[in-house]
Amino acid sequence: MDMTDSLPAALDGVADPISGKGLIASGRAAPPRFEDGTASVVVDVTGLSGDARSKLETAVKQALIAVPGVETVRVAMTAEKRGRKIIAIGSGKGGVGKSTLSANLAVALKRMGRKVGLVDADIYGPSQARLLSTEGMRPTAQGQKMDPVLSPHGVPMLSMAQLVKPGQAIAWRGPMAANALGQLIDAEWGDVDLLILDLPPGTGDVQLTMVQKYKPVGAIIVSTPQDLALIDATRAIDFFNQAHVPIIGMVENMAGYACPHCGEVSDPFGQGGAQAAAMSMNLPFLGRVPLDIGIRTASDAGLPPAAEDGDTIFAPLAAKIADWLNPAKPASF
């Protein structure tokens, strides 16, 4: 067997991390060249994380150097620049359940087959590590970029909570916080093509940097039904309108409470306020999330309800977002 047969055969003995086929059979590697004892090969690493790229390079070198006659191995790695869409989850004030909604939407979209990642952009009050059960897990780094942490629910994510000590206050001025957000977004996301950004409340430096530099394809506004929350939500909508970021729609959170003892439904925060506000501003209304102790306890335990097969709350919201992202299929709100 000469080198024109043995080198490709050796490469096909290495599995493509995504398809599982051999590197030549999958198209991941080009036919190698051999000259003066040196085997050279070009490997396409599009869609692979930094860690996966490093492991693949090592496997290729080991496979080729084992071929009799090969003294040196050269591996060149190339990757297509991948377009990645960003959806911002925002609100004008804190305490409206934006982080819980972001985590559950990411999990629901993942269960629908989307290649989705989550960035906890609330630099000063990160909570996604708790919600997605990644507390204590620190991201690795390849060169200047971080590798996201993979949550038990299959959603890769990054949060400041994974980079600082538990309970440590992050006393940074706006530019430092904005720079930290940039590092989270510019991480090695691999084949992720949709990023969910859980934004901090308000319309300050962090939000401005995100909008100006990364230009989300759309924003989702979260509000409780009460008037005070809706006033702040309106400000958030105006912020995105000024930045020319389309509003995908509004979600009304903490909408109705069913007593676990008698079953009577009450509305501590009012009823229908977000839907009425969406109608008055000619915006889509995506749906309601009830004030349910089950959602709270599951979220605190790092077990988002969207991960359950019987989820009837977040899956419909995710389906509407998926429709909005697919221009070939009109959204039905």
Side-chain angles (χ1 to χ4, degrees):
M1 181 182 294
D2 61 19
M3 289 298 180
T4 57
D5 294 324
S6 56
L7 292 179
L11 285 178
D12 263 339
V14 178
D16 172 15
I18 293 180
S19 70
K21 299 179 180 179
L23 295 186
I24 296 292
S26 66
R28 179 71 69 178
R33 296 182 179 182
F34 182 77
E35 185 176 355
D36 297 331
T38 298
S40 304
V41 63
V42 177
V43 180
D44 180 6
V45 292
T46 299
L48 302 183
S49 67
D51 184 55
R53 294 178 184 188
S54 179
K55 290 180 179 178
L56 183 60
E57 181 181 13
T58 299
V60 167
K61 288 181 177 179
Q62 291 176 345
L64 293 181
I65 201 68
V67 175
V70 175
E71 301 172 1
T72 307
V73 176
R74 293 177 181 170
V75 180
M77 294 188 291
T78 64
E80 296 179 9
K81 189 172 182 179
R82 183 181 294 274
R84 186 170 291 124
K85 295 179 179 179
I86 295 175
I87 289 179
I89 313 293
S91 65
K93 64 177 296 178
V96 297
K98 176 175 48 56
S99 294
T100 299
L101 178 68
S102 299
N104 279 280
L105 284 180
V107 171
L109 286 164
K110 171 68 177 179
R111 287 172 61 86
M112 293 176 60
R114 299 289 310 212
K115 298 175 181 178
V116 61
L118 177 65
V119 171
D120 189 352
D122 195 344
I123 301 298
Y124 302 108
S127 56
Q128 291 295 350
R130 169 66 61 87
L131 292 169
L132 288 180
S133 194
T134 59
E135 288 180 303
M137 301 171 64
R138 295 184 64 84
T140 57
Q142 298 291 329
Q144 299 298 314
K145 293 190 175 185
M146 288 184 288
D147 288 323
V149 170
L150 184 63
S151 75
H153 314 291
V155 176
M157 60 158 297
L158 281 173
S159 169
M160 282 302 300
Q162 297 159 337
L163 302 174
V164 299
K165 296 179 181 178
Q168 178 181 338
I170 303 174
W172 292 349
R173 297 188 185 276
M176 291 181 64
N179 181 61
L181 172 58
Q183 292 184 49
L184 300 181
I185 296 176
D186 289 330
E188 285 285 359
W189 289 100
D191 64 346
V192 166
D193 57 18
L194 177 65
L195 277 182
I196 301 296
L197 256 65
D198 175 18
L199 286 176
T203 54
D205 287 341
V206 173
Q207 292 90 339
L208 281 171
T209 296
M210 182 276 301
V211 168
Q212 292 172 350
K213 185 174 180 180
Y214 298 100
K215 196 64 175 180
V217 296
I220 295 171
I221 306 299
V222 187
S223 179
T224 56
Q226 66 192 108
D227 291 342
L228 285 176
L230 290 166
I231 291 171
D232 291 322
T234 301
R235 293 191 180 102
I237 290 169
D238 184 60
F239 169 80
F240 285 113
N241 285 337
Q242 290 187 41
H244 304 291
V245 175
I247 304 296
I248 299 173
M250 292 186 68
V251 173
E252 186 172 274
N253 198 18
M254 306 181 195
Y257 172 72
C259 175
H261 303 292
C262 67
E264 181 181 354
V265 177
S266 60
D267 298 286
F269 297 104
Q271 182 182 36
Q275 183 175 15
M279 290 179 63
S280 69
M281 291 181 283
N282 198 28
L283 293 174
F285 180 68
L286 301 180
R288 295 183 174 88
V289 178
L291 182 61
D292 188 331
I293 192 172
I295 295 176
R296 196 273 298 169
T297 54
S299 298
D300 284 352
L303 301 169
E308 300 295 328
D309 290 337
D311 168 41
T312 59
I313 298 172
F314 300 102
L317 297 176
K320 290 181 179 180
I321 295 168
D323 285 349
W324 187 89
L325 287 167
N326 184 359
K329 181 180 179 181
S332 52
F333 296 146

